[in-house]
Amino acid sequence: MRKLNRLTGIAAASVAALALAACGGGGGNGGTTAPAGGGETTPAAGGETTPEAGGNEGGSSEGKDMRLALNQTETHPSYVVLNQMGEDLSEATDGRWSVDVFPNSTLGDQGEYIQMVSSGVVDLAIVSAPQLENINGDFVIFSLPTVFTDIDAQMSVLTDMDIVGDIYSSLEESNSVTVLGPLTQGERNMYTKDRVETPADLAGMKIRVQESPVFLAMIEALGGSPTPMAYGEVYTGLQSGVIDGAENNMISYESQKHYEVAPYYALTRHLVGADFLIVNTDTLNSMSAEDRAAFDETWTTAWTEHTELWKTNTETAISEAEAGGATFTEVDAAAFQEALTPLLDEFLTTPEQQALLESIKVAQ
Ligand code: GCU
């Protein structure tokens, strides 16, 4: 748990609570805590019903309008496909099951989502790999540079249950959280208020990172100063000068309007990132076999479409950010990779982690 003490208060608190849940074999439904707000409480996407947390305790297969927490806008591919998944699921189960997507972090920041799903306050959430890394260090492999060659290779590995099945079910007993599968985050690159061409240009720059040990280590390895911060705070962080830059894919850069306050987007291509759909294990287990099959099918359609949408939307995001004043620049990408490659040995320390890396490499 290297450098975990440097995480933000919220993330550290979530990690502590989850560790407690793990020790007590807890998790499960029945959480009564209200979802943390961020000031806004109005459900965005068709949120006319407000289901009670833990509504399916006892293995009922009657169904539920499941709440899904998301930190992206309604234009983001993840919102688009998950919203459609909700409709498809409702149709396929004669209205027994559906998904109500709450975008724009209206249910809180991503650092809180695992705990919310664990307690049953929400049923589903999209979390970035580093959030899962905070609970089970083996998830770090999905955030390391050079692990995935491109989006298609990444998706074929991350949907191959022979490779990832064990790690996806690893939080079920301890936290009552099942990882269902991935949505790509595409290629992550660096963007800043001042132009960056080599790692040396990052010296002294405060770069926002996701709240996890590997992202802190990454920016340190590049010579920058890592600043953990929730996704939804990055725009104002850049605007006020609390941070000098961040790293993310082009779709997030554009949809969050970060180009308005950090116009230099350097194509560092430091990694292909992954998000995951997580679900409360008790909710999942309460589905009848027929409804579970419908759920799995609509999810498969969702991630398949997401991967295609990702490619077209990336092109659109580039043009829209450019029209808004962004400059996309090629950099000394090899120098970035060289600085980051030692992280593989630093973070993959057990024979099991090395074996997982090996099977991922072989599968691509
Ligand atoms: C991407 C990713 C999110 C993540 C965000 C971040 O947008 O899809 O899940 O939260 O990066 O950098 O925090």
Side-chain angles (χ1 to χ4, degrees):
M1 298 304 268
R2 179 181 186 273
K3 301 190 189 95
L4 204 55
N5 58 334
R6 294 177 52 190
L7 304 184
T8 62
I10 283 176
S14 302
V15 171
L18 282 155
L20 275 178
C23 291
N29 276 345
T32 50
T33 329
E40 299 164 71
T41 47
T42 318
E48 58 289 331
T49 50
T50 313
E52 294 300 314
N56 288 302
E57 268 180 309
S60 146
S61 59
E62 284 167 19
K64 187 176 187 185
D65 186 16
M66 296 180 284
R67 292 196 287 187
L68 188 154
L70 181 69
N71 66 356
Q72 307 289 0
T73 65
E74 289 97 327
T75 61
H76 191 281
S78 300
Y79 176 83
V80 173
V81 303
L82 292 164
N83 195 45
Q84 184 62 46
M85 175 181 166
E87 289 175 24
D88 294 348
L89 182 63
S90 177
E91 202 180 317
T93 60
D94 295 327
R96 285 186 296 281
W97 293 91
S98 54
V99 178
D100 195 0
V101 185
F102 290 74
N104 297 312
S105 304
T106 41
L107 294 182
D109 291 323
Q110 208 181 70
E112 302 160 281
Y113 289 175
I114 300 177
Q115 190 175 5
M116 289 163 71
V117 171
S118 175
S119 66
V121 172
V122 301
D123 304 283
L124 299 153
I126 295 292
V127 292
S128 189
Q131 303 296 348
L132 291 161
E133 175 199 344
N134 287 327
I135 314 302
N136 172 359
D138 289 348
F139 277 95
V140 74
I141 199 162
F142 306 132
S143 300
L144 284 164
T146 74
V147 169
F148 298 115
T149 48
D150 59 32
I151 293 175
D152 290 324
Q154 176 197 40
M155 290 304 289
S156 86
V157 167
L158 293 182
T159 53
D160 182 340
M161 290 304 142
D162 288 341
I163 300 176
V164 292
D166 286 349
I167 191 167
Y168 285 3
S169 59
S170 66
L171 305 177
E172 290 180 345
E173 273 187 33
S174 55
N175 298 92
S176 211
V177 168
T178 301
V179 177
L180 279 167
L183 291 178
T184 192
Q185 292 178 5
E187 207 171 62
R188 292 182 77 106
N189 297 283
M190 205 74 68
Y191 51 93
T192 44
K193 293 165 93 72
D194 296 319
R195 188 186 286 262
V196 163
E197 283 167 0
T198 69
D201 296 333
L202 289 170
M205 282 195 191
K206 292 188 291 297
I207 304 294
R208 176 269 171 172
V209 290
Q210 300 179 80
E211 308 96 321
S212 95
V214 76
F215 276 88
L216 285 158
M218 237 179 260
I219 297 303
E220 279 181 351
L222 293 171
S225 176
T227 308
M229 186 180 280
Y231 184 54
E233 290 165 17
V234 176
Y235 186 97
T236 46
L238 288 164
Q239 193 176 37
S240 65
V242 169
I243 48 173
D244 305 302
E247 56 78 52
N248 218 316
N249 57 64
M250 292 152 181
I251 290 178
S252 288
Y253 181 58
E254 191 278 322
S255 60
Q256 296 292 313
K257 308 278 178 241
H258 290 169
Y259 60 86
E260 292 177 356
V261 278
Y264 293 102
Y265 192 96
L267 296 162
T268 50
R269 303 190 171 94
H270 50 275
L271 66 105
V272 181
D275 278 335
F276 294 93
L277 177 62
I278 57 169
V279 60
N280 179 284
T281 306
D282 296 336
T283 303
L284 192 65
N285 290 342
S286 75
M287 292 179 183
S288 66
E290 182 196 356
D291 289 348
R292 174 64 200 268
F295 180 68
D296 288 345
E297 200 178 317
T298 54
W299 164 237
T300 300
T301 303
W303 66 253
T304 307
E305 284 179 11
H306 184 273
T307 310
E308 289 316 306
L309 209 49
W310 194 269
K311 296 169 190 166
T312 49
N313 284 27
T314 294
E315 296 309 314
T316 317
I318 294 172
S319 346
E320 291 192 359
E322 277 177 338
T327 305
F328 290 80
T329 51
E330 287 294 342
V331 298
D332 187 353
F336 281 88
Q337 288 294 351
E338 195 186 329
L340 295 175
T341 306
L343 294 178
L344 286 166
D345 284 340
E346 189 182 334
F347 279 87
L348 301 179
T349 50
T350 68
E352 291 77 19
Q353 291 170 337
Q354 293 289 350
L356 181 56
L357 177 64
E358 192 49 36
S359 34
I360 291 176
K361 294 278 179 201
V362 168
Q364 295 183 73

